[in-house]
Every structure is written in structure tokens, then in C-alpha cells.
Amino acid sequence: MFVLELTYTAPLERVDAALPDHVAWLKKHYAAGHFLAAGRKVPRDGGVILASVADRATAERIVAEDPFTIAGVCDYRITEFVATTTAPELEPYKEQLPTS
């Protein structure tokens, strides 16, 4: 599981110009089962996406394809975590700690 945290690096006018393409990109990844939740940060200086993808390389590829990334209006921070507890609705995404 990954938290994809966006921080805007451009004025909101440039962010808003890329927003329709960003929303289409979000919908594509919801349909693919990659995204569980997304939204703006408060105050509006970026956003957060909760993603369930196979590995960090996949998360990095998805982030690189974001129209916000392509337009140069945000930076991403990718945080991987193991979702060992979930709400009942997210039970299919529950993970086990690796054994080592």
C-alpha cells in the first residue's frame, strides 16, 4: 500500500489548468483498481492518494504519468506501508507483515 503525497510547486492557476487531465488520470487508476481514495490537502497546497499497487516501481511509474507531473506543477512523496489493519470495507487490501 502506498500514500502518494502531492505538493504543488506552481501557482494554483497552473494547477487548475492541468486539473481536468489529472481527474481523468485519477478515474483511469480507480477503474484499474489502483486507487482507493484521493483528495486535496487543507490548506490547498497539494493532495493525497491512497494507492494499492504491486510495488514501488509501479507507484513511481503511475506518478510519472500524472498530468500534474508532466505539467511540472507538483512534486510527489511516495510512502510505502503495510496495511495490517483495515476498516471492514477495506478487508481485501489487508496485508501481512513480511517474515524474515
Side-chain angles (χ1 to χ4, degrees):
M1 188 84 62
F2 294 86
V3 176
L4 310 177
E5 183 181 2
L6 299 79
T7 301
Y8 298 145
T9 59
L12 288 178
E13 297 78 28
R14 286 192 48 215
V15 172
D16 287 341
L19 189 58
D21 290 337
H22 174 74
V23 170
W25 170 84
L26 286 168
K27 289 179 180 179
K28 170 186 163 186
H29 288 286
Y30 275 113
H34 298 151
F35 293 168
L36 303 177
R40 292 178 179 172
K41 291 194 279 185
V42 178
R44 188 180 175 203
D45 61 0
V48 175
I49 301 168
L50 183 59
S52 178
V53 296
D55 52 38
R56 186 176 192 88
T58 302
E60 290 172 351
R61 179 186 52 77
I62 288 171
V63 163
E65 296 171 352
D66 181 354
F68 278 179
T69 300
I70 294 166
V73 299
C74 80
D75 286 330
Y76 269 93
R77 177 177 175 209
I78 300 173
T79 304
E80 183 174 4
F81 73 101
V82 180
T84 55
T85 59
T86 64
E89 299 81 6
L90 296 177
E91 187 75 23
Y93 300 97
K94 191 173 183 178
E95 301 173 295
Q96 299 293 319
L97 288 174
T99 56
S100 47

